[in-house]
Amino acid sequence: MTIVAWDGKTLAADRMGDAGGLKRTTTKIRRFDGGLFGSSGAASRGAEIFAWIESGADPARVPAFQLVPDDYQSVMVVRNDGTVWLYGCSAYPFQMEDPFHAIGSGRDFAMAAMWLGKTAVQAVHVASQFCSGCGMGIDALEL
């Protein structure tokens, strides 16, 4: 339940969180010394993995949930040099080489929108219209 989109210039995300079926407003993207951070999944886990990345992402200190298949936090880091790195079920990220990317339940809608020339903010808006797990506003950060 999320949409985080990168268009090569802007990282954008919806603001909808869920607490046992109750919609909540939350921030899913952040700026840090290394670049921009966005996560899809539990907000508390997003905060924990953000702190881990911000402190240097030592593989020996990765949050335990990040190593569990089907239970990890999907994370996108856009480094200050513009490269995009995804964390999946590992302490080690992999680089994305496409000009735009998205994570979360609304990612397919956002990817299609950006492929059609929309910005990351516009892509998050599109995803929020069609994906029931996205909405409640948009945050955006430029690199």
Side-chain angles (χ1 to χ4, degrees):
M1 298 188 136
T2 289
I3 176 57
V4 177
W6 168 253
D7 63 10
K9 180 181 175 184
T10 303
L11 186 68
D14 75 310
R15 297 182 48 77
M16 189 174 94
D18 178 314
L22 177 64
K23 286 184 181 181
R24 297 291 191 142
T25 305
T26 189
T27 300
K28 302 172 184 181
I29 59 174
R30 290 176 169 56
R31 184 180 307 278
F32 70 109
D33 286 343
L36 305 175
F37 167 92
S39 73
S40 170
S44 58
R45 286 182 173 190
E48 185 175 349
I49 203 159
F50 176 73
W52 173 71
I53 289 171
E54 193 174 37
S55 69
D58 177 1
R61 301 174 73 78
V62 64
F65 61 79
Q66 196 64 18
L67 303 176
V68 179
D70 300 323
D71 197 29
Y72 62 88
Q73 191 79 6
S74 184
V75 173
M76 183 187 311
V77 172
V78 180
R79 295 186 181 162
N80 288 325
D81 65 4
T83 59
V84 178
W85 297 81
L86 298 183
Y87 286 87
C89 184
S90 173
Y92 299 94
F94 58 96
Q95 186 176 1
M96 295 304 297
E97 298 177 7
D98 301 311
F100 51 85
H101 195 67
I103 59 174
S105 60
R107 82 163 180 242
D108 294 347
F109 297 112
M111 291 292 288
M114 289 186 290
W115 186 81
L116 291 168
K118 301 298 183 187
T119 67
V121 170
Q122 291 169 324
V124 169
H125 181 72
V126 168
S128 295
Q129 293 301 307
F130 294 101
C131 180
S132 63
C134 304
M136 296 184 70
I138 299 172
D139 289 318
L141 297 171
E142 289 195 15
L143 189 58

PDB file of all heavy atoms in Angstrom, residues 32-71:
ATOM      1  N   PHE A  32      18.289  12.819   3.077  1.00  0.00           N
ATOM      2  CA  PHE A  32      19.382  12.589   4.014  1.00  0.00           C
ATOM      3  C   PHE A  32      20.677  12.958   3.314  1.00  0.00           C
ATOM      4  O   PHE A  32      20.669  13.290   2.119  1.00  0.00           O
ATOM      5  CB  PHE A  32      19.384  11.155   4.563  1.00  0.00           C
ATOM      6  CG  PHE A  32      19.748  10.084   3.569  1.00  0.00           C
ATOM      7  CD1 PHE A  32      20.964   9.423   3.664  1.00  0.00           C
ATOM      8  CD2 PHE A  32      18.878   9.728   2.545  1.00  0.00           C
ATOM      9  CE1 PHE A  32      21.301   8.438   2.749  1.00  0.00           C
ATOM     10  CE2 PHE A  32      19.201   8.734   1.649  1.00  0.00           C
ATOM     11  CZ  PHE A  32      20.426   8.089   1.740  1.00  0.00           C
ATOM     12  N   ASP A  33      21.794  12.945   4.041  1.00  0.00           N
ATOM     13  CA  ASP A  33      23.065  13.387   3.461  1.00  0.00           C
ATOM     14  C   ASP A  33      23.424  12.642   2.184  1.00  0.00           C
ATOM     15  O   ASP A  33      24.040  13.197   1.290  1.00  0.00           O
ATOM     16  CB  ASP A  33      24.205  13.243   4.473  1.00  0.00           C
ATOM     17  CG  ASP A  33      24.152  14.311   5.552  1.00  0.00           C
ATOM     18  OD1 ASP A  33      23.462  15.329   5.364  1.00  0.00           O
ATOM     19  OD2 ASP A  33      24.808  14.121   6.583  1.00  0.00           O
ATOM     20  N   GLY A  34      23.032  11.370   2.079  1.00  0.00           N
ATOM     21  CA  GLY A  34      23.378  10.564   0.916  1.00  0.00           C
ATOM     22  C   GLY A  34      22.458  10.752  -0.271  1.00  0.00           C
ATOM     23  O   GLY A  34      22.744  10.262  -1.356  1.00  0.00           O
ATOM     24  N   GLY A  35      21.318  11.421  -0.100  1.00  0.00           N
ATOM     25  CA  GLY A  35      20.373  11.616  -1.203  1.00  0.00           C
ATOM     26  C   GLY A  35      18.933  11.626  -0.728  1.00  0.00           C
ATOM     27  O   GLY A  35      18.579  12.293   0.238  1.00  0.00           O
ATOM     28  N   LEU A  36      18.112  10.836  -1.412  1.00  0.00           N
ATOM     29  CA  LEU A  36      16.680  10.764  -1.107  1.00  0.00           C
ATOM     30  C   LEU A  36      16.306   9.320  -0.781  1.00  0.00           C
ATOM     31  O   LEU A  36      16.861   8.383  -1.353  1.00  0.00           O
ATOM     32  CB  LEU A  36      15.854  11.246  -2.307  1.00  0.00           C
ATOM     33  CG  LEU A  36      16.178  12.639  -2.840  1.00  0.00           C
ATOM     34  CD1 LEU A  36      15.366  12.925  -4.099  1.00  0.00           C
ATOM     35  CD2 LEU A  36      15.928  13.694  -1.780  1.00  0.00           C
ATOM     36  N   PHE A  37      15.336   9.155   0.106  1.00  0.00           N
ATOM     37  CA  PHE A  37      14.903   7.847   0.593  1.00  0.00           C
ATOM     38  C   PHE A  37      13.398   7.742   0.457  1.00  0.00           C
ATOM     39  O   PHE A  37      12.675   8.696   0.758  1.00  0.00           O
ATOM     40  CB  PHE A  37      15.302   7.711   2.073  1.00  0.00           C
ATOM     41  CG  PHE A  37      14.661   6.573   2.803  1.00  0.00           C
ATOM     42  CD1 PHE A  37      15.292   5.346   2.875  1.00  0.00           C
ATOM     43  CD2 PHE A  37      13.427   6.725   3.428  1.00  0.00           C
ATOM     44  CE1 PHE A  37      14.715   4.286   3.565  1.00  0.00           C
ATOM     45  CE2 PHE A  37      12.836   5.674   4.111  1.00  0.00           C
ATOM     46  CZ  PHE A  37      13.485   4.452   4.180  1.00  0.00           C
ATOM     47  N   GLY A  38      12.911   6.584   0.014  1.00  0.00           N
ATOM     48  CA  GLY A  38      11.474   6.311  -0.011  1.00  0.00           C
ATOM     49  C   GLY A  38      11.237   4.858   0.328  1.00  0.00           C
ATOM     50  O   GLY A  38      12.052   3.995  -0.020  1.00  0.00           O
ATOM     51  N   SER A  39      10.147   4.567   1.043  1.00  0.00           N
ATOM     52  CA  SER A  39       9.875   3.170   1.392  1.00  0.00           C
ATOM     53  C   SER A  39       8.404   2.831   1.236  1.00  0.00           C
ATOM     54  O   SER A  39       7.531   3.686   1.340  1.00  0.00           O
ATOM     55  CB  SER A  39      10.340   2.846   2.809  1.00  0.00           C
ATOM     56  OG  SER A  39       9.503   3.434   3.770  1.00  0.00           O
ATOM     57  N   SER A  40       8.185   1.549   1.000  1.00  0.00           N
ATOM     58  CA  SER A  40       6.846   0.992   0.860  1.00  0.00           C
ATOM     59  C   SER A  40       6.719  -0.151   1.844  1.00  0.00           C
ATOM     60  O   SER A  40       7.546  -1.059   1.863  1.00  0.00           O
ATOM     61  CB  SER A  40       6.659   0.472  -0.574  1.00  0.00           C
ATOM     62  OG  SER A  40       5.470  -0.261  -0.667  1.00  0.00           O
ATOM     63  N   GLY A  41       5.700  -0.103   2.657  1.00  0.00           N
ATOM     64  CA  GLY A  41       5.492  -1.114   3.687  1.00  0.00           C
ATOM     65  C   GLY A  41       5.107  -0.424   4.981  1.00  0.00           C
ATOM     66  O   GLY A  41       4.596   0.693   4.967  1.00  0.00           O
ATOM     67  N   ALA A  42       5.380  -1.068   6.090  1.00  0.00           N
ATOM     68  CA  ALA A  42       5.017  -0.519   7.402  1.00  0.00           C
ATOM     69  C   ALA A  42       5.818   0.751   7.697  1.00  0.00           C
ATOM     70  O   ALA A  42       7.040   0.780   7.526  1.00  0.00           O
ATOM     71  CB  ALA A  42       5.278  -1.556   8.491  1.00  0.00           C
ATOM     72  N   ALA A  43       5.134   1.799   8.130  1.00  0.00           N
ATOM     73  CA  ALA A  43       5.794   3.070   8.415  1.00  0.00           C
ATOM     74  C   ALA A  43       6.865   2.924   9.495  1.00  0.00           C
ATOM     75  O   ALA A  43       7.929   3.532   9.402  1.00  0.00           O
ATOM     76  CB  ALA A  43       4.760   4.117   8.828  1.00  0.00           C
ATOM     77  N   SER A  44       6.596   2.107  10.518  1.00  0.00           N
ATOM     78  CA  SER A  44       7.583   1.932  11.579  1.00  0.00           C
ATOM     79  C   SER A  44       8.845   1.249  11.051  1.00  0.00           C
ATOM     80  O   SER A  44       9.961   1.597  11.422  1.00  0.00           O
ATOM     81  CB  SER A  44       6.992   1.133  12.747  1.00  0.00           C
ATOM     82  OG  SER A  44       6.527  -0.128  12.295  1.00  0.00           O
ATOM     83  N   ARG A  45       8.660   0.292  10.141  1.00  0.00           N
ATOM     84  CA  ARG A  45       9.823  -0.363   9.538  1.00  0.00           C
ATOM     85  C   ARG A  45      10.547   0.603   8.606  1.00  0.00           C
ATOM     86  O   ARG A  45      11.770   0.568   8.490  1.00  0.00           O
ATOM     87  CB  ARG A  45       9.400  -1.608   8.779  1.00  0.00           C
ATOM     88  CG  ARG A  45       9.027  -2.741   9.705  1.00  0.00           C
ATOM     89  CD  ARG A  45       8.651  -3.963   8.922  1.00  0.00           C
ATOM     90  NE  ARG A  45       8.461  -5.093   9.820  1.00  0.00           N
ATOM     91  CZ  ARG A  45       8.322  -6.329   9.411  1.00  0.00           C
ATOM     92  NH1 ARG A  45       8.344  -6.603   8.116  1.00  0.00           N
ATOM     93  NH2 ARG A  45       8.152  -7.293  10.276  1.00  0.00           N
ATOM     94  N   GLY A  46       9.805   1.441   7.935  1.00  0.00           N
ATOM     95  CA  GLY A  46      10.425   2.456   7.089  1.00  0.00           C
ATOM     96  C   GLY A  46      11.309   3.376   7.905  1.00  0.00           C
ATOM     97  O   GLY A  46      12.425   3.713   7.505  1.00  0.00           O
ATOM     98  N   ALA A  47      10.830   3.777   9.085  1.00  0.00           N
ATOM     99  CA  ALA A  47      11.630   4.629   9.966  1.00  0.00           C
ATOM    100  C   ALA A  47      12.888   3.901  10.439  1.00  0.00           C
ATOM    101  O   ALA A  47      13.975   4.488  10.505  1.00  0.00           O
ATOM    102  CB  ALA A  47      10.790   5.072  11.161  1.00  0.00           C
ATOM    103  N   GLU A  48      12.750   2.618  10.743  1.00  0.00           N
ATOM    104  CA  GLU A  48      13.898   1.843  11.222  1.00  0.00           C
ATOM    105  C   GLU A  48      14.942   1.662  10.123  1.00  0.00           C
ATOM    106  O   GLU A  48      16.148   1.831  10.361  1.00  0.00           O
ATOM    107  CB  GLU A  48      13.437   0.478  11.741  1.00  0.00           C
ATOM    108  CG  GLU A  48      14.541  -0.338  12.362  1.00  0.00           C
ATOM    109  CD  GLU A  48      14.059  -1.638  12.980  1.00  0.00           C
ATOM    110  OE1 GLU A  48      12.840  -1.840  13.116  1.00  0.00           O
ATOM    111  OE2 GLU A  48      14.928  -2.461  13.336  1.00  0.00           O
ATOM    112  N   ILE A  49      14.508   1.341   8.924  1.00  0.00           N
ATOM    113  CA  ILE A  49      15.481   1.132   7.849  1.00  0.00           C
ATOM    114  C   ILE A  49      16.076   2.457   7.387  1.00  0.00           C
ATOM    115  O   ILE A  49      17.239   2.522   6.990  1.00  0.00           O
ATOM    116  CB  ILE A  49      14.908   0.291   6.690  1.00  0.00           C
ATOM    117  CG1 ILE A  49      16.071  -0.343   5.932  1.00  0.00           C
ATOM    118  CG2 ILE A  49      14.021   1.092   5.795  1.00  0.00           C
ATOM    119  CD1 ILE A  49      15.694  -1.552   5.128  1.00  0.00           C
ATOM    120  N   PHE A  50      15.301   3.548   7.483  1.00  0.00           N
ATOM    121  CA  PHE A  50      15.859   4.874   7.183  1.00  0.00           C
ATOM    122  C   PHE A  50      17.000   5.184   8.150  1.00  0.00           C
ATOM    123  O   PHE A  50      18.071   5.637   7.730  1.00  0.00           O
ATOM    124  CB  PHE A  50      14.782   5.954   7.260  1.00  0.00           C
ATOM    125  CG  PHE A  50      15.321   7.343   7.062  1.00  0.00           C
ATOM    126  CD1 PHE A  50      15.720   7.765   5.794  1.00  0.00           C
ATOM    127  CD2 PHE A  50      15.441   8.219   8.123  1.00  0.00           C
ATOM    128  CE1 PHE A  50      16.226   9.041   5.600  1.00  0.00           C
ATOM    129  CE2 PHE A  50      15.946   9.497   7.937  1.00  0.00           C
ATOM    130  CZ  PHE A  50      16.339   9.915   6.673  1.00  0.00           C
ATOM    131  N   ALA A  51      16.797   4.939   9.431  1.00  0.00           N
ATOM    132  CA  ALA A  51      17.850   5.186  10.426  1.00  0.00           C
ATOM    133  C   ALA A  51      19.083   4.328  10.131  1.00  0.00           C
ATOM    134  O   ALA A  51      20.221   4.787  10.258  1.00  0.00           O
ATOM    135  CB  ALA A  51      17.324   4.909  11.835  1.00  0.00           C
ATOM    136  N   TRP A  52      18.862   3.074   9.722  1.00  0.00           N
ATOM    137  CA  TRP A  52      19.963   2.176   9.376  1.00  0.00           C
ATOM    138  C   TRP A  52      20.738   2.708   8.170  1.00  0.00           C
ATOM    139  O   TRP A  52      21.972   2.761   8.175  1.00  0.00           O
ATOM    140  CB  TRP A  52      19.415   0.768   9.113  1.00  0.00           C
ATOM    141  CG  TRP A  52      20.413  -0.202   8.591  1.00  0.00           C
ATOM    142  CD1 TRP A  52      21.462  -0.766   9.263  1.00  0.00           C
ATOM    143  CD2 TRP A  52      20.462  -0.723   7.255  1.00  0.00           C
ATOM    144  NE1 TRP A  52      22.149  -1.615   8.427  1.00  0.00           N
ATOM    145  CE2 TRP A  52      21.556  -1.605   7.196  1.00  0.00           C
ATOM    146  CE3 TRP A  52      19.684  -0.545   6.124  1.00  0.00           C
ATOM    147  CZ2 TRP A  52      21.898  -2.305   6.034  1.00  0.00           C
ATOM    148  CZ3 TRP A  52      20.014  -1.236   4.972  1.00  0.00           C
ATOM    149  CH2 TRP A  52      21.109  -2.101   4.938  1.00  0.00           C
ATOM    150  N   ILE A  53      20.046   3.129   7.134  1.00  0.00           N
ATOM    151  CA  ILE A  53      20.700   3.667   5.938  1.00  0.00           C
ATOM    152  C   ILE A  53      21.417   4.972   6.267  1.00  0.00           C
ATOM    153  O   ILE A  53      22.560   5.186   5.866  1.00  0.00           O
ATOM    154  CB  ILE A  53      19.687   3.843   4.793  1.00  0.00           C
ATOM    155  CG1 ILE A  53      19.265   2.467   4.266  1.00  0.00           C
ATOM    156  CG2 ILE A  53      20.247   4.715   3.675  1.00  0.00           C
ATOM    157  CD1 ILE A  53      18.115   2.492   3.279  1.00  0.00           C
ATOM    158  N   GLU A  54      20.752   5.828   7.017  1.00  0.00           N
ATOM    159  CA  GLU A  54      21.336   7.122   7.376  1.00  0.00           C
ATOM    160  C   GLU A  54      22.615   6.955   8.199  1.00  0.00           C
ATOM    161  O   GLU A  54      23.532   7.766   8.104  1.00  0.00           O
ATOM    162  CB  GLU A  54      20.303   7.950   8.143  1.00  0.00           C
ATOM    163  CG  GLU A  54      20.669   9.402   8.300  1.00  0.00           C
ATOM    164  CD  GLU A  54      19.562  10.208   8.942  1.00  0.00           C
ATOM    165  OE1 GLU A  54      18.868   9.697   9.839  1.00  0.00           O
ATOM    166  OE2 GLU A  54      19.406  11.360   8.528  1.00  0.00           O
ATOM    167  N   SER A  55      22.687   5.873   8.967  1.00  0.00           N
ATOM    168  CA  SER A  55      23.872   5.640   9.792  1.00  0.00           C
ATOM    169  C   SER A  55      24.959   4.849   9.058  1.00  0.00           C
ATOM    170  O   SER A  55      25.939   4.437   9.661  1.00  0.00           O
ATOM    171  CB  SER A  55      23.490   4.921  11.089  1.00  0.00           C
ATOM    172  OG  SER A  55      23.078   3.596  10.813  1.00  0.00           O
ATOM    173  N   GLY A  56      24.795   4.611   7.755  1.00  0.00           N
ATOM    174  CA  GLY A  56      25.842   3.972   6.984  1.00  0.00           C
ATOM    175  C   GLY A  56      25.494   2.626   6.383  1.00  0.00           C
ATOM    176  O   GLY A  56      26.284   2.046   5.650  1.00  0.00           O
ATOM    177  N   ALA A  57      24.329   2.069   6.696  1.00  0.00           N
ATOM    178  CA  ALA A  57      23.852   0.795   6.120  1.00  0.00           C
ATOM    179  C   ALA A  57      24.844  -0.352   6.298  1.00  0.00           C
ATOM    180  O   ALA A  57      25.101  -1.120   5.375  1.00  0.00           O
ATOM    181  CB  ALA A  57      23.474   0.978   4.654  1.00  0.00           C
ATOM    182  N   ASP A  58      25.391  -0.483   7.492  1.00  0.00           N
ATOM    183  CA  ASP A  58      26.304  -1.592   7.791  1.00  0.00           C
ATOM    184  C   ASP A  58      25.543  -2.906   7.639  1.00  0.00           C
ATOM    185  O   ASP A  58      24.573  -3.156   8.355  1.00  0.00           O
ATOM    186  CB  ASP A  58      26.837  -1.446   9.215  1.00  0.00           C
ATOM    187  CG  ASP A  58      27.734  -2.584   9.659  1.00  0.00           C
ATOM    188  OD1 ASP A  58      27.996  -3.515   8.879  1.00  0.00           O
ATOM    189  OD2 ASP A  58      28.185  -2.535  10.827  1.00  0.00           O
ATOM    190  N   PRO A  59      25.961  -3.782   6.701  1.00  0.00           N
ATOM    191  CA  PRO A  59      25.236  -5.043   6.483  1.00  0.00           C
ATOM    192  C   PRO A  59      25.101  -5.896   7.744  1.00  0.00           C
ATOM    193  O   PRO A  59      24.113  -6.620   7.890  1.00  0.00           O
ATOM    194  CB  PRO A  59      26.074  -5.760   5.417  1.00  0.00           C
ATOM    195  CG  PRO A  59      26.764  -4.658   4.691  1.00  0.00           C
ATOM    196  CD  PRO A  59      27.056  -3.618   5.741  1.00  0.00           C
ATOM    197  N   ALA A  60      26.048  -5.807   8.646  1.00  0.00           N
ATOM    198  CA  ALA A  60      25.990  -6.595   9.882  1.00  0.00           C
ATOM    199  C   ALA A  60      24.904  -6.092  10.831  1.00  0.00           C
ATOM    200  O   ALA A  60      24.523  -6.808  11.759  1.00  0.00           O
ATOM    201  CB  ALA A  60      27.344  -6.572  10.583  1.00  0.00           C
ATOM    202  N   ARG A  61      24.387  -4.883  10.589  1.00  0.00           N
ATOM    203  CA  ARG A  61      23.392  -4.297  11.481  1.00  0.00           C
ATOM    204  C   ARG A  61      22.032  -4.079  10.803  1.00  0.00           C
ATOM    205  O   ARG A  61      21.204  -3.338  11.308  1.00  0.00           O
ATOM    206  CB  ARG A  61      23.927  -2.992  12.045  1.00  0.00           C
ATOM    207  CG  ARG A  61      25.234  -3.172  12.818  1.00  0.00           C
ATOM    208  CD  ARG A  61      25.844  -1.858  13.245  1.00  0.00           C
ATOM    209  NE  ARG A  61      25.142  -1.202  14.322  1.00  0.00           N
ATOM    210  CZ  ARG A  61      25.221  -1.524  15.606  1.00  0.00           C
ATOM    211  NH1 ARG A  61      25.960  -2.528  15.973  1.00  0.00           N
ATOM    212  NH2 ARG A  61      24.564  -0.848  16.514  1.00  0.00           N
ATOM    213  N   VAL A  62      21.812  -4.738   9.671  1.00  0.00           N
ATOM    214  CA  VAL A  62      20.548  -4.583   8.951  1.00  0.00           C
ATOM    215  C   VAL A  62      19.390  -5.038   9.851  1.00  0.00           C
ATOM    216  O   VAL A  62      19.519  -6.022  10.577  1.00  0.00           O
ATOM    217  CB  VAL A  62      20.566  -5.373   7.621  1.00  0.00           C
ATOM    218  CG1 VAL A  62      20.672  -6.863   7.847  1.00  0.00           C
ATOM    219  CG2 VAL A  62      19.335  -5.041   6.774  1.00  0.00           C
ATOM    220  N   PRO A  63      18.272  -4.316   9.845  1.00  0.00           N
ATOM    221  CA  PRO A  63      17.115  -4.781  10.612  1.00  0.00           C
ATOM    222  C   PRO A  63      16.738  -6.204  10.195  1.00  0.00           C
ATOM    223  O   PRO A  63      16.709  -6.528   8.998  1.00  0.00           O
ATOM    224  CB  PRO A  63      16.020  -3.779  10.248  1.00  0.00           C
ATOM    225  CG  PRO A  63      16.766  -2.532   9.874  1.00  0.00           C
ATOM    226  CD  PRO A  63      18.009  -3.020   9.183  1.00  0.00           C
ATOM    227  N   ALA A  64      16.454  -7.052  11.153  1.00  0.00           N
ATOM    228  CA  ALA A  64      16.197  -8.477  10.904  1.00  0.00           C
ATOM    229  C   ALA A  64      15.081  -8.704   9.886  1.00  0.00           C
ATOM    230  O   ALA A  64      15.165  -9.616   9.059  1.00  0.00           O
ATOM    231  CB  ALA A  64      15.888  -9.197  12.202  1.00  0.00           C
ATOM    232  N   PHE A  65      14.020  -7.885   9.922  1.00  0.00           N
ATOM    233  CA  PHE A  65      12.896  -8.080   9.003  1.00  0.00           C
ATOM    234  C   PHE A  65      13.327  -7.946   7.545  1.00  0.00           C
ATOM    235  O   PHE A  65      12.695  -8.510   6.659  1.00  0.00           O
ATOM    236  CB  PHE A  65      11.744  -7.116   9.298  1.00  0.00           C
ATOM    237  CG  PHE A  65      12.098  -5.657   9.175  1.00  0.00           C
ATOM    238  CD1 PHE A  65      12.179  -5.027   7.943  1.00  0.00           C
ATOM    239  CD2 PHE A  65      12.349  -4.908  10.318  1.00  0.00           C
ATOM    240  CE1 PHE A  65      12.501  -3.689   7.837  1.00  0.00           C
ATOM    241  CE2 PHE A  65      12.670  -3.557  10.221  1.00  0.00           C
ATOM    242  CZ  PHE A  65      12.747  -2.952   8.977  1.00  0.00           C
ATOM    243  N   GLN A  66      14.394  -7.205   7.281  1.00  0.00           N
ATOM    244  CA  GLN A  66      14.816  -6.977   5.904  1.00  0.00           C
ATOM    245  C   GLN A  66      15.361  -8.240   5.242  1.00  0.00           C
ATOM    246  O   GLN A  66      15.453  -8.308   4.024  1.00  0.00           O
ATOM    247  CB  GLN A  66      15.866  -5.852   5.851  1.00  0.00           C
ATOM    248  CG  GLN A  66      16.087  -5.275   4.477  1.00  0.00           C
ATOM    249  CD  GLN A  66      14.842  -4.583   3.914  1.00  0.00           C
ATOM    250  OE1 GLN A  66      13.906  -4.237   4.626  1.00  0.00           O
ATOM    251  NE2 GLN A  66      14.832  -4.393   2.606  1.00  0.00           N
ATOM    252  N   LEU A  67      15.688  -9.248   6.033  1.00  0.00           N
ATOM    253  CA  LEU A  67      16.244 -10.490   5.503  1.00  0.00           C
ATOM    254  C   LEU A  67      15.216 -11.596   5.371  1.00  0.00           C
ATOM    255  O   LEU A  67      15.553 -12.717   4.992  1.00  0.00           O
ATOM    256  CB  LEU A  67      17.407 -10.948   6.394  1.00  0.00           C
ATOM    257  CG  LEU A  67      18.537  -9.920   6.545  1.00  0.00           C
ATOM    258  CD1 LEU A  67      19.584 -10.446   7.512  1.00  0.00           C
ATOM    259  CD2 LEU A  67      19.152  -9.562   5.205  1.00  0.00           C
ATOM    260  N   VAL A  68      13.959 -11.301   5.664  1.00  0.00           N
ATOM    261  CA  VAL A  68      12.897 -12.313   5.628  1.00  0.00           C
ATOM    262  C   VAL A  68      12.136 -12.209   4.303  1.00  0.00           C
ATOM    263  O   VAL A  68      11.495 -11.183   4.031  1.00  0.00           O
ATOM    264  CB  VAL A  68      11.919 -12.137   6.811  1.00  0.00           C
ATOM    265  CG1 VAL A  68      10.809 -13.177   6.748  1.00  0.00           C
ATOM    266  CG2 VAL A  68      12.662 -12.201   8.134  1.00  0.00           C
ATOM    267  N   PRO A  69      12.200 -13.253   3.466  1.00  0.00           N
ATOM    268  CA  PRO A  69      11.445 -13.210   2.208  1.00  0.00           C
ATOM    269  C   PRO A  69       9.957 -12.949   2.467  1.00  0.00           C
ATOM    270  O   PRO A  69       9.390 -13.437   3.434  1.00  0.00           O
ATOM    271  CB  PRO A  69      11.661 -14.616   1.622  1.00  0.00           C
ATOM    272  CG  PRO A  69      12.930 -15.098   2.242  1.00  0.00           C
ATOM    273  CD  PRO A  69      12.948 -14.495   3.635  1.00  0.00           C
ATOM    274  N   ASP A  70       9.356 -12.160   1.613  1.00  0.00           N
ATOM    275  CA  ASP A  70       7.933 -11.807   1.692  1.00  0.00           C
ATOM    276  C   ASP A  70       7.571 -10.996   2.928  1.00  0.00           C
ATOM    277  O   ASP A  70       6.389 -10.846   3.237  1.00  0.00           O
ATOM    278  CB  ASP A  70       7.045 -13.058   1.609  1.00  0.00           C
ATOM    279  CG  ASP A  70       7.248 -13.829   0.319  1.00  0.00           C
ATOM    280  OD1 ASP A  70       7.445 -13.179  -0.722  1.00  0.00           O
ATOM    281  OD2 ASP A  70       7.233 -15.072   0.366  1.00  0.00           O
ATOM    282  N   ASP A  71       8.565 -10.487   3.667  1.00  0.00           N
ATOM    283  CA  ASP A  71       8.269  -9.669   4.844  1.00  0.00           C
ATOM    284  C   ASP A  71       9.186  -8.452   4.935  1.00  0.00           C
ATOM    285  O   ASP A  71       9.178  -7.735   5.908  1.00  0.00           O
ATOM    286  CB  ASP A  71       8.393 -10.513   6.119  1.00  0.00           C
ATOM    287  CG  ASP A  71       7.709  -9.853   7.306  1.00  0.00           C
ATOM    288  OD1 ASP A  71       6.725  -9.114   7.097  1.00  0.00           O
ATOM    289  OD2 ASP A  71       8.173 -10.050   8.443  1.00  0.00           O
TER     290      ASP A  71
END
